[in-house]
């Protein structure tokens, strides 16, 4: 199976980003974690990116806050799918990072998830890998079913609690 790379702009992003790791463990998807900055270590970020496909990666996730150019810079160096996580790490509550990540020019796409949306970023990466992997698809469908059953159980519980 292809690996997922999770790249963050700073180790200060780790508390947000690490919510993705449990998803990969749940689905048995191999992943690697890196800290590369679009601004502080641009050469290293590019070097990793341009060799990512030949190094066995299938999807790249990039998380950054503030003027969050990491996902876009990474997307510029590969045709692998890139998922951006805008991180809430400033006085602007992550809106700065959201706009910096999502507003990519035509031709260089970044699939941007919600501010601090590491779990959805990981799920989207798993779904991309599942396109060519029946077992992964089966696990995803089973996980959706379990989640739906939990909601329906809560529905029964709350409905009963407030029944007149
Ligand atoms: C961004 O600047 C990083 O992704 C981080 O979210 C933010 C602050 O970085 P530190 O100053 O905490 O290293 O590049």
């Amino acid at each position: 199976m292809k690996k997922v790379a999770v790249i963050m702009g700073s180790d200060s992003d780790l508390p947000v980003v690490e919510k993705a790791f449990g998803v990969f463990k749940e689905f048995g998807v191999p992943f690697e974690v890196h800290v590369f900055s679009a601004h502080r270590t641009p050469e290293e970020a590019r070097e990793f990116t341009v060799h990512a496909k030949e190094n066995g990666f299938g999807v790249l996730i990039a998380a950054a806050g503030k003027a969050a150019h990491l996902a876009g810079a990474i997307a510029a160096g590969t045709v692998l799918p890139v998922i951006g996580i805008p991180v809430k790490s400033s006085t602007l509550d992550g809106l700065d990072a959201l706009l910096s990540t999502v507003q990519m020019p035509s031709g260089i796409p970044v699939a941007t998830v919600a501010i601090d949306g590491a779990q959805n970023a990981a799920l989207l990466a798993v779904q991309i890998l599942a396109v060519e992997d029946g077992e992964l698809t089966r696990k995803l469908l089973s996980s959706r079913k379990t989640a739906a059953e939990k909601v329906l159980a809560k529905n029964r519980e709350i409905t009963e609690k407030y029944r007149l």
Side-chain angles (χ1 to χ4, degrees), residues 8-9 15 20 28 33-34 41 46 58 72 81-82 91 96 100 104 108 112 115 118 120 129-130 137 148 156:
M8 67 201 95
V33 186
H34 293 276
T41 62
R46 183 154 182 91
V82 175
T91 47
D96 46 356
S100 303
M104 288 297 293
I108 310 291
T112 305
I115 295 168
N120 265 2
L129 295 179
T137 299
R156 286 191 293 275

Side-chain angles (χ1 to χ4, degrees), residues 8-13 37-40 63-68 70 87-89:
M8 67 201 95
S10 164
D11 66 341
S12 66
D13 300 319
S37 166
H39 307 118
R40 294 164 175 159
K66 297 186 176 172
L70 183 62
V87 176
K88 178 177 163 179
S89 68

Side-chain angles (χ1 to χ4, degrees), residues 34-81:
H34 293 276
V35 180
F36 294 127
S37 166
H39 307 118
R40 294 164 175 159
T41 62
E43 286 87 7
E44 289 80 359
R46 183 154 182 91
E47 179 69 11
F48 178 85
T49 303
V50 297
H51 297 294
K53 191 169 168 61
E54 73 206 47
N55 285 331
F57 293 96
V59 186
L60 309 181
I61 294 176
K66 297 186 176 172
H69 298 129
L70 183 62
I74 282 175
T78 182
V79 292
L80 289 172

Side-chain angles (χ1 to χ4, degrees), residues 41-162:
T41 62
E43 286 87 7
E44 289 80 359
R46 183 154 182 91
E47 179 69 11
F48 178 85
T49 303
V50 297
H51 297 294
K53 191 169 168 61
E54 73 206 47
N55 285 331
F57 293 96
V59 186
L60 309 181
I61 294 176
K66 297 186 176 172
H69 298 129
L70 183 62
I74 282 175
T78 182
V79 292
L80 289 172
V82 175
I83 302 169
I85 308 173
V87 176
K88 178 177 163 179
S89 68
S90 75
T91 47
L92 295 178
D93 276 346
L95 187 58
D96 46 356
L98 173 63
L99 298 178
S100 303
T101 305
V102 79
Q103 289 287 55
M104 288 297 293
S106 298
I108 310 291
V110 167
T112 305
V113 295
I115 295 168
D116 290 354
Q119 201 178 353
N120 265 2
L123 278 170
L124 183 55
V126 173
Q127 288 181 205
I128 291 168
L129 295 179
V131 169
E132 297 287 342
D133 188 323
E135 177 61 13
L136 215 42
T137 299
R138 196 195 56 71
K139 286 184 188 169
L140 282 163
L141 289 170
S142 163
S143 169
R144 287 268 180 111
K145 190 160 175 267
T146 304
E149 280 162 2
K150 279 186 191 156
V151 173
L152 294 174
K154 286 288 171 198
N155 173 53
R156 286 191 293 275
E157 188 185 315
I158 301 261
T159 300
E160 199 49 47
K161 184 173 174 184
Y162 294 101

